[in-house]
């Protein structure tokens, strides 16, 4: 994004390790002057009212919930500003009970795109676009790197019972995606804060 856009970017994560990695990558790519890494919680953002033209949340809003995130973050957008958020989304109105039960337990806010768009409208946004991420985004860019990291994660954590439980939960989620990918994906929602 920093290479493609003529913009100042504030990148937020609550883990310092991720902030450090971002800062190092930005420097190696020669875009460190365009990115301000910031360690902060999504629930306690230190921003000013109407500070941003765009808020981009890729695979993260679920940490506080879609409805809470879009409601809380609206104040940080300038009038006419854009919210772009990816969110786990049902692709069909019905689905196998094994899959439904898993996601009801993991993230009860999972819903169809029409329901998410309705939430955006109810929170005062104007929806202007929606699309689903292609399968390779899940498999090649997300699940496969996770799968490749299992052994080193277990080793770093002494093959503890807690670490094994985390790996097993991730394996189960990957298996569910591979089996039921026709029923769910990440949807990307683009909405505008109206000029007031």
């Amino acid at each position: 994004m920093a290479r493609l856009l003529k913009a100042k970017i504030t990148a937020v994560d609550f883990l310092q390790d991720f902030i450090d990695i971002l800062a190092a990558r930005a420097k190696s790519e020669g875009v460190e002057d365009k990115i301000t890494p910031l360690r902060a919680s999504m629930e306690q953002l230190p921003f000013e009212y109407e500070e941003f033209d765009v808020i981009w949340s890729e695979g993260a809003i679920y940490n506080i919930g879609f409805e809470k995130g879009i409601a809380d973050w609206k104040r940080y957008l300038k009038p006419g500003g854009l919210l772009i958020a990816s969110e786990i989304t049902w692709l069909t109105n019905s689905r196998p009970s094994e899959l439904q039960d898993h996601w009801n337990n993991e993230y009860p806010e999972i819903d169809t795109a029409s329901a998410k768009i309705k939430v955006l409208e109810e929170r005062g946004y104007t929806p202007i676009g929606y699309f689903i991420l292609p399968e390779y985004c899940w498999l090649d860019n997300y699940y496969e790197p996770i799968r490749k990291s299992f052994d080193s994660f277990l080793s770093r954590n002494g093959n503890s019972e807690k670490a094994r439980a985390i790996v097993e939960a991730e394996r189960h989620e990957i298996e569910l995606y591979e089996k039921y990918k026709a029923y769910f994906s990440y949807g990307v929602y683009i909405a505008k804060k109206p000029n007031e």
Side-chain angles (χ1 to χ4, degrees):
M1 229 189 294
R3 282 194 308 273
L4 296 174
L5 301 176
K6 187 177 180 179
K8 290 277 192 186
I9 298 168
T10 302
V12 178
D13 201 291
F14 75 100
L15 293 174
Q16 187 61 50
D17 288 350
F18 289 169
I19 293 295
D20 294 343
I21 290 167
L22 170 67
R25 285 185 180 167
K27 186 172 184 176
S28 72
E29 295 287 329
V31 293
E32 69 270 20
D33 59 324
K34 294 174 121 185
I35 300 174
T36 302
L38 175 67
R39 183 173 177 234
S41 165
M42 279 196 245
E43 294 184 279
Q44 297 176 337
L45 295 169
F47 303 131
E48 298 295 322
Y49 184 70
E50 297 183 350
E51 184 172 342
F52 296 106
D53 296 303
V54 176
I55 293 176
W56 183 295
S57 175
E58 192 171 341
I61 200 170
Y62 75 90
N63 285 297
I64 60 172
F66 185 78
E67 188 163 0
K68 178 174 175 39
I70 65 168
D72 288 357
W73 300 345
K74 187 178 178 194
R75 74 188 100 180
Y76 304 127
L77 279 174
K78 295 175 183 175
L82 295 177
L83 170 74
I84 301 150
S86 64
E87 167 78 338
I88 189 134
T89 302
W90 292 128
L91 301 178
T92 59
N93 278 329
S94 62
R95 62 221 46 101
S97 59
E98 177 187 23
L99 182 65
Q100 180 79 49
D101 293 345
H102 171 80
W103 282 109
N104 283 349
N105 183 56
E106 291 298 314
Y107 186 59
E109 274 195 64
I110 188 172
D111 214 333
T112 59
S114 58
K116 296 295 180 180
I117 290 168
K118 183 179 180 188
V119 170
L120 285 162
E121 291 169 335
E122 289 171 347
R123 290 298 184 168
Y125 290 89
T126 302
I128 59 173
Y130 162 77
F131 62 92
I132 60 170
L133 290 178
E135 188 178 306
Y136 73 84
C137 289
W138 282 83
L139 294 174
D140 300 348
N141 299 331
Y142 182 62
Y143 284 140
E144 196 51 37
I146 287 175
R147 198 181 338 232
K148 287 179 179 176
S149 73
F150 286 158
D151 289 341
S152 63
F153 174 79
L154 290 170
S155 178
R156 282 193 318 274
N157 290 280
N159 202 29
S160 70
E161 186 176 328
K162 188 174 181 179
R164 288 195 310 273
I166 291 169
V167 167
E168 187 50 42
E170 291 296 329
R171 278 194 179 119
H172 180 63
E173 184 178 315
I174 293 168
E175 288 167 5
L176 284 175
Y177 180 74
E178 291 173 335
K179 186 175 179 182
Y180 296 121
K181 58 191 168 195
Y183 296 95
F184 72 106
S185 187
Y186 259 87
V188 178
Y189 298 85
I190 306 164
K192 183 168 84 168
K193 179 179 177 177
N195 292 318
E196 298 169 326

